[in-house]
Amino acid sequence: MKPVPDLVLASPLKGWIAPLDEAPDAVFAERMLGDGVAIDPLGSELVAPCDGVVVSAHRAGHAVTLRTAGGAEILMHVGLETVALGGEGFEVHVREGQAVKTGEALISFDLDLLARRAKSLITPVVITNPEAFQIVRRDQDRAVEAGGFLMALRAVDGAATRAFESANEISRPVTVPLAHGVHARPAARIAALAKSFTAETALVAGSRRASARSPVGLMALAVRHGDEIAVVASGADAEAAMTAIAVLIESGMGEGAPVATRTSLAPVVETLLAPAELPADGVLKGVLAAPGLAIGKAVRLASADIAVREQGEGVAQEEAALSAALDKVRARIEAGATKGDKARRAILAAHLAFLDDPELLAQARALIAQGKGAGFGWRSAVGGYVEALRALGDRRLAERVDDLIDLERQVLKALAGEDDEASVLPPGSILLADELLPSQLMGVDPGVVAGLATARGGPTSHVAILAAAMGVPALVAVGGGVLSVADGAALILDADGGTLRVAPDASALAAAQTQLAQRQTRKAAARAAAHDPAVTKDGARIEVFANAGSVKDALAAVENGAEGCGLLRTEFLFLDRENPPDEDEQARQYQAIANALSGRPLIIRTLDVGGDKAAPYLPIPAEENPALGLRGVRVSLWRPHLLKTQLRAILRVRPSKETEGGQCKIMVPMVGSLDELRAVRAVLEEAKRELEITDRVELGVMIETPAAAVTADLLAAEADFLSIGTNDLTQYVLAMDRGNPELAARIDALHPAVLRMIAQTCQGAARHGRWVGVCGGLASDPVATPVLLGLGVTELSTTVAIVPEVKAAVRALDLAACRDLGARALEQTSPEAVRALCQAFGA
């Protein structure tokens, strides 16, 4: 039998052939769609590289796929992110199902327009069924004429298209929310997800059907925004596969939907909270965003709506106006980024990145090209991003919405010729708003702002970060009551206690003023003694460590007197990137932090993602309740190669000075059972053998679930230490989402139920002689220090800034009295009663 000859593909373009790795798009560079080459075009016509049939001609005109008689599928994608142009600059000469010959014209395009509008002109030419055809020769790094040699393909022996089994097939309807339908990027993501299941899956659109594993097949369906399709599946894990694919499509994959015409920002921003009546005692409760106590007068801040014209006055004029406005805002941001603290500079750098986002600009300019005004185009483009971020269901990403809204406002004001001047405020102002924008806070004089409180917002928003960096006490998620506070009303903002007192009487004001003076005195004394050990009056040694997430944090911890790092959040290495850090990068970072601690103990928490912390390279299927899904150790055991890489990196850390038992300890998050601890220890022992490490390495667990707390005695039999994460433990014990602003005021880690879990943890650990620490938010609350010590905690890991005060609080305590306080706290009926008990104890 004669061997099948290789299939030779001619170049479909005149240009320069480059490796596919040089495509500035992970979908192509990482070969999610298949192998091939990239061409930087010098011509404006795409021709057929071989004889074949057109199986897909995208409606946006930027991509076409051919299938040869032998079954090879070749995708040609002109430029990158060109789908957003909506067909502008493209002319398609073929239709689906049409047979074409080598060299026949497929697409003509305006090269100059693409050079201005597209992210890149790079044109990937990809073999999308690499399981059936492999590239045996290819040209790279040279110029080529259209029709010149490009690559040769060879059929893989025994390759066959997988047949979809219809037996026991299940189906789920889906309305497609993707703005541009199922084009290359979503097709690649759907296919990658489908391949992670054993079930056979497909999308069905009318009478057409395509395997979910085939990106080309999916694109060939020509599914558009709003189309009704079905996800079907059969096989062992059909239900899971069908659900995961449907949820992925329904999520919008960050592409959002076409933006409806609107004339104001209000429809994009969530409806403002309706002003609510103030409580009878005048006390509103919220979530701590930046610590401190403030006395001042209410100043209401609100963003005035900016009207925009829908119809433009000519494409050239509107294009020029938008460019000028963007330049003006960019110059102002760049100037602001040259001064101020690191937090301010980092936030402004993020704003610049948003401002220069090519997709955002492309969408705005596409609307201008349709005759719309510059303001309308910009507002619509930003609105699409806002809706997409909110649709992801990720609180961390949703908190970036205020940055986009901020940029929308700044550019619209620049278009209107208005200056974004700093607000002039009276001294002692406590800012009140539904939500504050970062530029609004950066535009005020920090010397006159005593504090801020917002009805909405989150504790990790950029406004919260800015407030903490400015030293301004701040509360978020206070609710609609804050909108009922009259301008000029007297306020006491106790961010540490989570309260905003409106119109306090003379005695409350006097008490707050006394408290402020006492705080300043205590802080000064605590800072002076920051490096003294934390020993109670009766001689009990308590370790006070600091939580960290960077080398800078570790250095600040040492400066503030921390005796080590009780929680290194390794997520700083894993989030906001397309690929996980490798072993060498992790080892370098952990070593740098260990060096910064100068031999002090370093407890490194293994990767804690999932829930509200998403990593793009970990495609965790959408979950109805992420807080109860793949989180912490569950993710590590789901992807054990990531866990092993991280453990090897930690094991490579060498102490900067001799430390008994080694400098690094390892802590596993969200452990719920002994089996999980044993599974991690098995990976740790394997990593130790590979690195020929025989020294003992301590492995501890975080107590963050009721299951871990009530089985602490079982865990302590094999764990080297236990550390309580009170933030998650509180939300799980109370069954309240700590990210829900409606519940924020009721989530208190001093709730007797939470304290009983802490007590049970300490009792279980004591049976095996294990120490118990607290690294959650409660450790940073000096009011709680005596209760925690009384329940049996011997290590506290706090925020860096509060270390001196917690150490000072420990020195003022008698452990026997703390035990009595702890016992009484367990008998209280509410967190308010516990706090009153603690405050009376410390008075």
Side-chain angles (χ1 to χ4, degrees):
M1 181 176 179
K2 291 183 178 180
V4 178
D6 294 343
L7 172 64
V8 174
L9 299 184
S11 176
L13 284 167
K14 176 183 178 181
W16 181 269
I17 310 173
L20 195 58
D21 310 73
E22 293 186 10
D25 189 316
V27 169
F28 294 105
E30 295 177 14
R31 291 165 173 75
M32 293 172 66
L33 286 169
D35 197 9
V37 298
I39 301 175
D40 197 353
L42 296 175
S44 58
E45 186 176 72
L46 183 83
V47 301
C50 60
D51 295 350
V53 173
V54 178
V55 295
S56 173
H58 199 281
R59 67 183 182 282
H62 68 298
V64 65
T65 303
L66 301 184
R67 181 181 294 125
T68 69
E73 295 176 344
I74 304 106
L75 165 67
M76 291 152 283
H77 193 287
V78 180
L80 298 176
E81 298 189 2
T82 42
V83 65
L85 295 177
E88 183 182 5
F90 291 98
E91 181 180 1
V92 181
H93 303 296
V94 293
R95 64 183 183 281
E96 292 177 5
Q98 178 180 337
V100 295
K101 294 292 185 182
T102 303
E104 189 172 341
L106 303 175
I107 299 172
S108 298
F109 51 90
D110 185 336
L111 193 61
D112 291 336
L113 184 145
L114 265 59
R116 296 195 309 272
R117 301 279 191 83
K119 175 182 179 180
S120 171
L121 290 172
I122 286 287
T123 297
V125 180
V126 174
I127 311 307
T128 58
N129 53 342
E131 73 281 358
F133 288 85
Q134 62 179 339
I135 301 172
V136 292
R137 287 182 296 136
R138 75 185 90 194
D139 260 0
Q140 285 182 179
D141 299 316
R142 73 173 185 86
V144 67
E145 294 290 329
F149 175 79
L150 186 67
M151 66 178 94
L153 312 181
R154 184 172 298 164
V156 176
D157 291 338
T161 302
R162 298 180 66 163
F164 191 90
E165 298 173 2
S166 60
N168 302 315
E169 184 174 285
I170 57 176
S171 174
R172 172 169 165 168
V174 171
T175 300
V176 178
L178 302 167
H180 307 295
V182 181
H183 60 94
R185 185 173 285 101
R189 291 187 61 185
I190 294 168
L193 178 59
K195 290 171 185 176
S196 69
F197 295 93
T198 58
E200 296 294 341
T201 51
L203 299 191
V204 177
S207 60
R208 296 166 294 148
R209 179 185 185 117
S211 168
R213 299 170 184 264
S214 168
V216 171
L218 295 176
M219 289 189 291
L221 291 175
V223 173
R224 300 170 181 251
H225 168 74
D227 283 356
E228 298 287 342
I229 64 171
V231 180
V232 297
S234 67
D237 53 358
E239 179 75 31
M242 177 191 71
T243 301
I245 293 171
V247 169
L248 176 64
I249 296 171
E250 289 170 342
S251 75
M253 298 188 230
E255 300 205 353
V259 182
T261 299
R262 68 184 198 277
T263 58
S264 77
L265 185 62
V268 171
V269 184
E270 294 178 47
T271 304
L272 292 178
L273 285 175
E277 289 187 10
L278 292 174
D281 61 358
V283 177
L284 297 166
K285 295 186 177 181
V287 176
L288 170 68
L293 175 69
I295 301 171
K297 299 287 188 181
V299 175
R300 294 278 298 277
L301 288 186
S303 296
D305 187 39
I306 302 173
V308 298
R309 292 177 292 101
E310 179 172 349
Q311 297 304 315
E313 298 179 357
V315 172
Q317 183 174 334
E318 300 296 336
E319 281 268 15
L322 179 60
S323 295
L326 291 171
D327 289 344
K328 181 178 180 180
V329 174
R330 184 181 297 106
R332 185 165 60 238
I333 293 175
E334 288 174 343
T338 63
K339 56 189 177 182
D341 54 56
K342 182 179 178 182
R344 176 192 177 100
R345 294 195 302 272
I347 291 168
L348 289 174
H351 282 198
L352 280 176
F354 279 136
L355 196 67
D356 292 328
D357 187 291
E359 190 77 12
L360 185 62
L361 298 176
Q363 291 180 23
R365 285 169 174 154
L367 287 167
I368 290 174
Q370 296 171 22
K372 305 299 184 183
F376 182 89
W378 179 251
R379 173 169 278 169
S380 299
V382 171
Y385 269 55
V386 167
E387 290 163 359
L389 284 174
R390 284 194 168 130
L392 292 177
D394 182 331
R395 287 199 303 270
R396 189 175 58 87
L397 292 177
E399 287 180 343
R400 299 291 81 84
V401 164
D402 58 357
D403 296 292
L404 286 170
I405 294 173
D406 200 344
L407 285 175
E408 178 191 52
R409 185 183 67 88
Q410 292 183 62
V411 172
L412 291 182
K413 290 192 77 171
L415 281 167
E418 299 176 16
D419 290 328
D420 205 3
E421 297 178 348
S423 301
V424 179
L425 304 172
S429 295
I430 295 181
L431 309 181
L432 306 180
D434 182 70
E435 281 186 303
L436 275 175
L437 300 176
S439 67
Q440 287 178 302
L441 188 53
M442 285 187 274
V444 301
D445 179 357
V448 301
V449 177
L452 67 91
T454 61
R456 299 182 185 274
T460 60
S461 67
H462 277 164
V463 164
I465 294 168
L466 281 169
M470 294 165 65
V472 175
L475 285 179
V476 294
V478 178
V482 77
L483 305 179
S484 298
V485 179
D487 273 328
L491 301 173
I492 300 173
L493 191 156
D494 182 359
D496 300 313
T499 62
L500 178 69
R501 182 180 294 274
V502 182
D505 57 25
S507 62
L509 276 173
Q513 289 164 348
T514 300
Q515 189 179 0
L516 261 178
Q518 291 173 342
R519 282 193 180 198
Q520 294 305 320
T521 301
R522 285 198 305 269
K523 282 185 178 181
R527 282 195 297 269
H531 296 279
D532 294 344
V535 181
T536 64
K537 288 180 179 180
D538 49 350
R541 179 76 168 86
I542 304 297
E543 293 181 306
V544 180
F545 289 1
N547 300 334
S550 66
V551 172
K552 181 182 177 183
D553 287 348
L555 291 169
V558 172
E559 183 180 348
N560 278 15
E563 299 168 89
C565 173
L567 167 62
L568 177 64
R569 301 182 180 94
T570 58
E571 294 75 54
F572 78 96
L573 274 169
F574 289 83
L575 299 177
D576 298 318
R577 56 191 294 164
E578 294 299 320
N579 298 291
D582 61 20
E583 182 181 323
D584 289 341
E585 180 183 356
Q586 291 188 59
R588 286 194 301 272
Q589 292 281 357
Y590 303 149
Q591 185 67 64
I593 290 170
N595 294 344
L597 290 171
S598 300
R600 293 172 178 80
L602 170 59
I603 300 177
I604 301 178
R605 183 176 69 186
T606 57
L607 181 61
D608 186 15
V609 295
D612 60 348
K613 292 178 284 188
Y617 47 83
L618 283 173
I620 296 174
E623 300 167 304
E624 185 173 345
N625 191 336
L628 301 180
L630 283 172
R631 284 199 61 192
V633 69
R634 301 168 192 165
V635 173
S636 294
L637 297 178
W638 177 54
R639 291 293 183 266
H641 64 284
L642 288 178
L643 173 63
K644 187 175 180 181
T645 298
Q646 184 170 32
L647 293 177
R648 283 177 56 94
I650 296 171
L651 291 171
R652 288 169 54 184
V653 175
R654 293 293 173 262
S656 55
K657 60 174 71 172
E658 285 301 318
T659 306
E660 184 179 350
Q663 184 176 5
C664 289
K665 299 176 176 62
I666 299 169
M667 184 163 66
V668 187
M670 289 298 295
V671 169
S673 70
L674 191 55
D675 286 344
E676 291 171 334
L677 173 61
R678 287 171 174 169
V680 174
R681 191 177 289 281
V683 179
L684 175 61
E685 292 302 320
E686 183 181 351
K688 287 175 63 179
R689 286 193 298 273
E690 292 174 356
L691 294 172
E692 299 181 349
I693 292 174
T694 57
D695 295 340
R696 180 170 174 269
V697 178
E698 290 191 32
L699 179 66
V701 299
M702 288 192 70
I703 305 297
E704 300 172 275
T705 66
V710 299
T711 59
D713 58 329
L714 303 179
L715 292 169
E718 299 187 23
D720 294 304
F721 61 91
L722 308 180
S723 187
I724 302 170
T726 53
N727 299 358
D728 272 318
L729 181 62
T730 301
Q731 79 164 339
Y732 291 130
V733 169
L734 301 182
M736 293 183 184
D737 181 357
R738 59 191 175 99
N740 187 329
E742 300 301 324
L743 300 175
R746 299 168 59 190
I747 299 176
D748 191 332
L750 282 179
H751 192 291
V754 180
L755 296 181
R756 290 184 178 211
M757 288 290 177
I758 295 173
Q760 190 164 355
T761 299
C762 294
Q763 291 161 8
R767 293 184 192 178
H768 302 279
R770 310 300 190 198
W771 62 266
V772 176
V774 174
C775 60
L778 198 60
S780 300
D781 185 351
V783 170
T785 301
V787 170
L788 294 176
L789 270 56
L791 296 178
V793 172
T794 59
E795 182 253 19
L796 299 168
S797 191
T798 75
T799 58
V800 170
I802 203 74
V803 167
E805 293 177 63
V806 172
K807 292 181 79 174
V810 170
R811 296 188 200 104
L813 298 174
D814 178 280
L815 198 55
C818 290
R819 292 191 182 111
D820 177 65
L821 175 68
R824 285 187 289 146
L826 296 180
E827 300 303 318
Q828 302 305 307
T829 59
S830 70
E832 290 80 11
V834 173
R835 287 195 175 274
L837 191 68
C838 293
Q839 287 163 352
F841 178 83

